[in-house]
């Protein structure tokens, strides 16, 4: 109750608001005005924006305009799902709502109202700008091209630097300000810019100019951005590092002038303060760096250098340098050291050997010392005084201190052969000494060489050992080996020794080397000398070395030859001892040179030269000629190959003269020629004409292309076949070669004779021509869809094939009932699928009215009515219409006619009566005529009336609680018809009625099991009711629901071994079935590969036995609702397998079935007869059906048990179809859609199911409990994967027509709905 009061209150408030609004409009007058104008609005991208616009007294049409483009007058704006006009339109609220705003919504919007009628100046217009706000991206700082800079380093010497802050992609641009150490900058130079992009976004850019100072070092600079679309500022920061030079360094640890002794440790400290970065500090000694290690602190750098003092530190200058990256020069500080030390050593300089009577001078020299040292001499341990010169002194500028020098003069006499002189230097505790012994000199004997004698022949790479010995001499002689003018050393294999025994004093050097060809004819000299020999004593040997040639060279003249012209090859061996012998070969075959000679070579050897003349051909290009130079004395040889280059015009190698390709495929043909120089141009010809490359396209692809000598043909067609010539050119000439492209393509029919019209008993000749490659035997085959026509009857049919693609079919003694129909020409050559065309044989006969001809028609007034006239006849039937007895003048606008050819020899004429009036209601006669005669057909045309009762009421299916009923529509009286269905228990006078059914099938549900019901149907329209059909349908429902597998009870009681056994047996059976399927599939495939299709079951057989889903059960009738006696299709095929139909057996003939003469059935005439013919019996009585009068189909088995025979045949056919379907799905090329041969078994028609309350019925599942349109009824379609598409001429055994009269011949019910 509370909710009701709230609703009433809401309605009252709305009504009051509307009332006030209308009164307000009356007060302010009729002029439309803005109550609320749109205002500029800002909104974040992605949010919802509302532009307000409210109009008082709106009289014109209102629309919103975006940037001058109208969005339309609908409140739901078309094409802009995000735009909607909202608000109470009655109150003048026309607010524009934009959801999920985007950048392209950033525009000027206008609220426009068109002027009121009669007041052109009353138009309204108001504009507002919708601004879309986009938050900017994160800011970044750039410096000198580097983005996202966090540290900026700058020298204090720089006048200024520029730092840029960028905040990209905002709308509007962000506002930028700079802070240093948290304080906003004002005195610095700041420049702000805004960069716009094409997508309406803006980038804020701010340039900060900084003048570096020391106090700015390590300061934090912050770029801060604010924007109306964000609540808090966005920031990014950088640190500024200002670089400046350090202070002059300071040295501590030594006082100038203080003397220190060697060996003491001295520590010097250099300290540099300030600077950014802090300084580098290094120590230098006399200008040489000695220490670079230092310690950096926050404000200073320290380098501590500690060392042990030595003599070199006397008067040494130690300097400290300090600097950093921004220093203009190094800052220095220096000290000079004073060090005391004694001499460390003395040295006697002068000769050790001299001849008797010679005078020599000996020099004594001390090392440096501070202060100066003194020198004293002794001879064999005795002091010398009279021969000593005054000492001298030198300052040591490098090491510091002083060097003391003293000289003595000595004259050698005979007894001075081994005299020792000693020198001593003194400075404090330091007293170093040095001594020298003098000897008398004499020469050695001439050296002797052993190990080789001049003239001996040895091979190269042989180990040769020679010894040179020099006896006597003082000192012992120095023995050396020389190769020519070069002295040999230990690296050359020299080993020397001396023997100092008094009796056997000698010097000896051994030379051991591996002989080389460079040693040939070379003098090896042994020299012996000492200080007493003015000229060295020597002995010489000359080596004789045999060596092979190191290499061989071949030169050609000319360098590049030409085919057929002379080329000269010259082979020259390297130097050899003795001279090498030269031989020529090619492909392991010896060649004879024109001339051979020798010349002087390196290392005193001989070079051999051989000349070979050749006349090359194209085959010699890139051929290798070998030259071998052999030293026979050493049995060693060198071989070299020379590849010659021969210029020749192009040649073609391994040309495939014939190339076969399937039409539609692409082919690549490699006809690349070889030539020297390379082929420069290719030209292609087909059948003598130049081939156009890159020209017209085929399927959007250029189909003739060539790259060099490779021809690519894409999507080959039969027009591409022919003789092709390729011409290759180079600088030497041109060459041609030919090849054939053989395009193989599927057979296609190029001609078939048109329909033949003959007199009864006449002869018809049909010709069929095919185009195929290859052209196989029996490429053309003829077939017919005429039932019972025997193509093998030699008296009736003659087929002539010339094996050149032409076949002639002759039909003798033509008869309308047996020979008239379609003949199909099929061609196939094992490439692709078959090609078929059909023609027809027509036997002349006079027109006949179709059995389904309308006898009634009805229409309302002032509409167009259609009257249909159906006829068969040959030749073509001509139609004439009469109204009463007067011919209809079709030239008047009142009438129009049209004639259709529905099928072979079947025609329809339609008379259109326009703007029907009462005077048009009459009896119309359709006269049908041709050259063979004429026939009239009468149609009663009247006004709209009540419909006729439905006919052919049938039982479709039934279960224990449901029954499905169908019926044939009767004359509808020219108006839409609905149906009432009713049922009652037999013996009960009360009915249950269901009305307003628009379909011609209905399912009764909620019935009781095991009850006998009576069912009837009635039609009605606006003019009245037809009354219920006179023959009710009687049916007894099932006693119970369909049986199902009982639930397993007491699962714990079932032994596990039973469950496992059942599973194992099931798996074994499954495996056996799989093996059987594989076996049959492989056998079928082998037969197909052999090309024998006689054993293959065509898909057409199964599909034609059960009609496809695109063919209605009955042919479509008139669709014009004003034609009352139109026929329409009844029920379609039902998927349920267990059904019964209350129908008569159907035996089609040429007169009763318009499709009887069309389409192949399958099998032999006998099996066709078994499929098509059923005996006509009458099995109606007053109480229902008679079980013993129901029709029985013919079977090959026991007729008394048709169910068993039928089930067996169905199982065989199911297996055959499964195997065929598997094979067809694996086959790339579909097989022809033609009937199989007589060897294929055809399943018989299904046995008749009985419907009687006296018979025991098996459970049959019902159709779903709902009404069905005929097109909704389940139908059987071909097995998935097949491509069968039956044409309109394929025979459909379920097809018959019905107009207004009940039919006596119908399809057996069990022929429908059985799936093989």
């Amino acid at each position: 109750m509370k909710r009701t009061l709230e609703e009433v209150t809401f309605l009252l408030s709305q009504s009051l608001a509307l009332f006030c609004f209308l009164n307000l409009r009356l007060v302010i007058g009729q002029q439309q005005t803005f109550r609320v104008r749109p205002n500029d609005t800002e909104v974040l991208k992605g949010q919802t924006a509302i532009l307000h616009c409210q109009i008082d007294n709106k009289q014109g049409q209102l629309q919103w305009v975006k940037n001058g483009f109208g969005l339309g007058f609908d409140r739901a704006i078309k094409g802009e799902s995000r735009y909607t006009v909202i608000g109470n339109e009655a109150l003048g609220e026309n607010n524009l709502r934009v959801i999920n705003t985007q950048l392209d919504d950033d525009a000027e919007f206008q609220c426009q109202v068109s002027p009121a009628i009669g007041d052109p100046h009353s138009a309204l217009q108001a504009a507002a700008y919708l601004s879309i706000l986009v938050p900017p991206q994160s800011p970044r700082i750039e410096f000198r091209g580097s983005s996202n800079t966090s540290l900026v380093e700058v020298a204090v010497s720089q006048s200024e630097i520029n730092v840029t802050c960028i905040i990209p992609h905002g709308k509007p641009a962000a506002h930028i300000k700079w802070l240093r150490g948290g304080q906003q900058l004002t005195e610095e130079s700041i420049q702000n810019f805004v960069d716009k992009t094409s997508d309406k976004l803006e980038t804020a850019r701010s340039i900060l100019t900084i003048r570096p100072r020391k106090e700015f070092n390590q300061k934090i600079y912050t770029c801060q951005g604010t924007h109306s679309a964000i609540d808090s500022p966005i920031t990014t920061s950088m640190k500024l590092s200002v670089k400046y030079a350090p202070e002059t360094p300071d040295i501590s640890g030594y006082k100038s002038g203080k003397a220190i002794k060697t060996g003491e440790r001295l520590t010097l400290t250099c300290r540099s303060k300030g600077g950014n970065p802090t300084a580098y500090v290094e120590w230098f000694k006399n200008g040489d760096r000695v220490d670079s290690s230092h310690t950096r602190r926050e404000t200073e750098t320290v380098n501590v250098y500690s060392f042990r003092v030595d003599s070199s530190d006397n008067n040494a200058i130690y300097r400290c340098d300090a600097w950093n990256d921004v220093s203009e020069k190094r800052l220095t500080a220096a000290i000079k050291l004073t060090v005391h030390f004694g001499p460390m050593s003395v040295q006697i300089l002068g000769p050790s050997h001299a001849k008797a009577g010679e005078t020599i001078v000996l020099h004594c020299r001390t090392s440096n010392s501070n202060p100066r040292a003194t020198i004293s001499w002794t001879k064999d341990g005795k002091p010398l005084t009279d021969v000593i010169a005054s000492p001298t002194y030198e300052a040591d500028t490098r090491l510091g201190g002083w060097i003391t020098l003293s000289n003595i003069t000595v004259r050698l006499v005979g007894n001075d052969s081994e005299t020792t002189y000693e020198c001593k230097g003194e400075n404090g505790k330091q007293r170093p000494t040095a001594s020298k012994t003098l000897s008398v000199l004499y020469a050695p004997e001439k050296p002797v060489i052993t190990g080789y004698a001049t003239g001996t022949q040895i091979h190269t790479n042989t180990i040769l050992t020679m010894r040179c010995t020099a006896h006597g001499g003082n000192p012992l002689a120095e023995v050396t080996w020389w190769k020519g003018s070069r002295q040999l050393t230990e690296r050359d294999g020299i080993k020397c020794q001396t023997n100092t025994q008094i009796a056997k004093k000698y010097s000896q050097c051994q030379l051991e080397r591996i002989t080389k060809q460079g040693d040939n004819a070379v003098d090896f000299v042994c020299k012996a000398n000492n200080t007493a020999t003015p000229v060295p004593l020597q002995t010489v040997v000359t080596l004789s070395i045999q060596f092979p040639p190191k290499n061989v060279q071949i030169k050609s003249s000319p360098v590049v030859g030409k085919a057929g012209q002379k080329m000269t090859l010259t082979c020259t061996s390297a130097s050899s001892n003795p001279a090498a012998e030269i031989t020529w070969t090619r492909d392991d075959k010896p060649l004879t040179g024109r001339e051979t000679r020798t010349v002087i070579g390196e290392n005193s050897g001989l070079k051999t030269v051989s000349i070979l003349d050749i006349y090359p051909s194209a085959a010699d290009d890139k051929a290798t000629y070998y030259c071998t130079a052999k030293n026979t004395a050493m049995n060693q040889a060198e071989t070299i190959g020379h590849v010659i280059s021969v210029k020749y015009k192009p040649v073609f190698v391994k040309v495939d003269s014939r190339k076969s390709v399937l039409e539609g495929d692409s082919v690549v043909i490699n006809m690349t020629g070889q030539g020297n120089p390379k082929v420069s141009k290719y030209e292609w010809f087909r059948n003598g004409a130049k081939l156009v490359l890159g020209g017209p396209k085929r399927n959007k692809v250029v189909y003739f292309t060539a790259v060099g000598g490779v021809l690519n043909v894409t999507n080959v067609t039969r027009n591409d076949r022919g003789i092709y010539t390729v011409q290759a050119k180079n600088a030497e000439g041109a060459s041609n070669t030919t090849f054939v492209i053989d395009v193989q393509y599927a057979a296609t029919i190029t001609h078939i004779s048109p329909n033949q019209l003959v007199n009864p008993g006449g002869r018809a000749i049909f010709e069929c021509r095919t185009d195929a490659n290859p052209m196989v035997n029996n490429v053309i085959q003829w077939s017919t869809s005429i039932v019972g026509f025997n193509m093998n009857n030699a008296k009736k049919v003659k087929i002539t094939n010339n094996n050149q693609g032409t076949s002639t079919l002759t039909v003798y003694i033509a008869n309308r009932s047996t020979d008239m129909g379609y003949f199909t020409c099929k061609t196939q050559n094992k490439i692709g699928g078959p090609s078929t065309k059909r023609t027809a044989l027509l036997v002349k006969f006079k027109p006949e009215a179709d059995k389904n001809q309308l006898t009634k028609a009805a229409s309302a007034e002032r509409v167009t009515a259609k009257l249909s006239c159906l006829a068969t006849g040959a030749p073509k039937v001509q139609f004439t219409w009469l109204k009463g007895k007067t011919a209809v003048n079709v030239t008047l606008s009142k009438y129009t006619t049209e004639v259709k050819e529905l099928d072979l020899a079947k025609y329809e004429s339609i008379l259109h009566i326009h703007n029907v009036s009462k005077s048009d209601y009459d009896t119309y006669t359709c006269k049908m005529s041709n050259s063979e005669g004429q026939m009239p057909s009468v149609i009663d045309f009247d006004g709209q009336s009540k419909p006729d009762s439905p006919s052919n009421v049938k039982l479709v299916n039934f279960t224990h609680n449901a029954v499905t009923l169908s019926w044939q529509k009767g004359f509808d009286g020219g108006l839409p018809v609905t149906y009432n269905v009713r049922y009652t228990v037999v013996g009960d006078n009360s009915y249950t009625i269901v009305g307003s059914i628009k379909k011609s099938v209905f399912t009764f549900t909620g019935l009781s099991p095991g009850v006998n019901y009576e069912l009837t149907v009635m039609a009605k329209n606006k003019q009245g009711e037809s009354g219920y059909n006179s023959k009710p349908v009687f049916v007894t429902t099932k006693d119970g629901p369909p049986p199902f597998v009982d639930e397993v009870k007491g699962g714990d009681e079932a032994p596990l071994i039973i469950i496992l056994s059942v599973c194992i047996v099931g798996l074994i059976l499954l495996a056996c079935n799989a093996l059987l399927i594989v076996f049959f599939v492989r056998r079928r495939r082998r037969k197909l590969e052999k090309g024998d299709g006689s054993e293959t079951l065509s898909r057409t057989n199964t599909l034609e036995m059960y009609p496809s889903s695109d063919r209605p059960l009955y042919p479509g009738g008139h669709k014009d609702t004003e034609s009352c006696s139109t026929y329409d299709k009844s029920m379609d095929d039902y998927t349920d397998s267990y059904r019964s139909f209350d129908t008569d057996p159907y035996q089609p003939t040429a007169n009763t079935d318009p499709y009887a003469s069309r389409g192949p059935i399958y099998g032999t005439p006998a099996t066709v007869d078994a499929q098509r013919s059923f005996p006509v019996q009458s099995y109606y009585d007053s109480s229902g059906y008679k079980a013993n009068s129901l029709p029985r189909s013919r079977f090959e088995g026991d007729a008394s048990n048709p169910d068993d025979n039928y089930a067996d045949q169905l199982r065989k056919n199911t297996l055959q179809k499964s195997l065929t379907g598997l094979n067809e799905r694996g086959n790339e090329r579909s097989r022809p859609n033609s009937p199989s041969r007589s060897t294929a078994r055809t399943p018989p028609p299904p046995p008749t199911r009985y419907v009687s309350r006296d018979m025991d019925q098996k459970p049959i599942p019902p159709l779903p409990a709902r009404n069905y349109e005929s097109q909704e009824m389940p139908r059987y379609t071909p097995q998935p994967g097949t491509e069968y598409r039956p044409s309109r001429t394929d025979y459909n055994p379920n097809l018959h027509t019905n107009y207004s009269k009940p039919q006596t011949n119908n399809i057996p019910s069990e022929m429908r709905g059985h799936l093989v």
Side-chain angles (χ1 to χ4, degrees), residues 627-920:
C627 173
T628 301
K630 182 176 182 181
N631 184 322
T632 56
M634 300 182 66
N635 197 27
Q636 294 186 26
E638 285 290 329
T639 301
I640 188 172
H642 179 73
V643 178
I644 66 172
S645 177
V646 180
K647 290 185 177 180
Y648 59 94
K649 68 179 183 180
V651 296
F652 297 92
V653 182
K654 296 182 181 179
V655 174
D656 187 1
S657 61
R658 190 174 192 87
K659 186 70 174 181
S660 297
V661 59
L662 292 179
E663 185 174 37
D665 289 352
S666 298
V667 63
V668 177
I669 303 169
N670 190 346
M671 303 298 290
T672 302
Q674 296 180 358
N676 188 8
K678 292 183 179 179
V679 177
S680 59
K681 183 179 181 181
Y682 288 90
E683 290 186 335
W684 300 85
F685 302 86
R686 181 177 65 188
N687 298 329
K690 188 172 182 179
L691 191 63
V692 179
L693 301 176
K697 294 185 177 181
R698 182 180 296 155
N699 295 334
K700 300 182 180 181
V701 177
V702 176
Y703 55 94
F704 275 113
T705 58
V707 178
V710 179
L711 179 66
N712 188 351
V713 187
T714 304
N715 297 332
V716 175
T717 69
R718 62 196 67 184
N719 296 329
D720 299 331
R721 58 187 171 181
I723 299 175
Y724 287 74
T725 301
V726 58
Q727 183 181 77
K729 295 181 180 180
N730 65 3
E732 297 298 308
S735 299
N736 298 338
T737 188
T738 61
F739 60 94
V740 175
I741 293 183
D742 179 24
V743 181
Q744 297 184 351
Y745 48 87
T748 57
I749 296 175
T750 59
H751 168 77
I752 190 170
S753 299
N755 294 350
Q756 301 292 305
L757 177 65
V758 299
N759 293 316
R763 180 180 63 177
I765 301 175
F766 300 95
E767 182 182 79
C768 181
R769 291 196 295 269
T770 183
D771 182 17
N773 186 25
M775 188 73 71
V776 299
N777 293 331
N778 296 323
V779 68
I780 296 178
Q781 295 181 350
W782 289 91
S783 62
T784 183
S785 60
I786 302 173
V787 177
F789 190 92
N790 186 3
M791 296 290 292
N792 298 319
N793 186 351
K795 296 181 179 181
K796 191 73 174 177
V797 179
K798 180 181 179 182
I799 298 176
T800 303
N801 292 317
N802 66 357
N803 291 329
Q804 297 299 318
T806 302
S807 178
T808 302
L809 169 66
T810 305
V811 180
Y812 300 97
I813 315 174
N815 181 278
R816 172 193 171 191
S817 60
T818 60
D819 304 336
M820 192 170 78
Y822 288 103
F823 290 87
T824 300
C825 172
K826 182 182 75 172
T827 179
Q828 188 175 16
N829 64 346
K830 299 183 180 179
I831 295 179
S835 173
T836 60
K837 285 187 179 180
R838 69 177 185 175
T839 184
L841 171 60
L842 295 169
V843 181
K844 294 181 180 180
F845 66 97
K846 72 175 185 178
E848 298 176 355
D850 190 83
K851 61 184 179 64
N852 293 317
Q853 174 60 49
L854 302 174
T855 60
K856 289 183 181 181
S859 172
E861 297 181 17
R862 294 185 298 278
V863 298
T864 297
K866 290 193 301 184
L867 277 64
S868 175
C869 180
L870 295 172
T872 57
K876 184 176 181 179
V877 177
Q878 304 296 326
F879 295 89
T880 303
W881 288 89
L882 293 84
K883 178 183 178 185
K885 297 182 179 180
T886 304
V888 174
N889 188 356
V890 296
T891 61
L892 301 177
S893 60
K894 181 71 174 179
Y895 304 101
T896 56
T897 61
E898 60 176 317
V899 177
K900 301 178 182 178
E901 185 174 359
L902 302 179
D903 204 349
L904 187 66
K906 181 176 182 180
Y907 305 90
E908 179 184 20
S909 176
I910 299 175
L911 175 65
H912 298 270
I913 305 175
H914 303 287
N915 193 21
V916 174
S917 63
K918 290 184 179 179
S919 62
D920 295 321

Side-chain angles (χ1 to χ4, degrees), residues 67 121 379 570 655 663 718 720 763 962 1006 1023 1065 1195 1298:
N67 282 342
H121 302 292
K379 176 181 179 182
T570 301
V655 174
E663 185 174 37
R718 62 196 67 184
D720 299 331
R763 180 180 63 177
Q1023 297 293 330
V1065 171
F1195 303 91
N1298 180 28

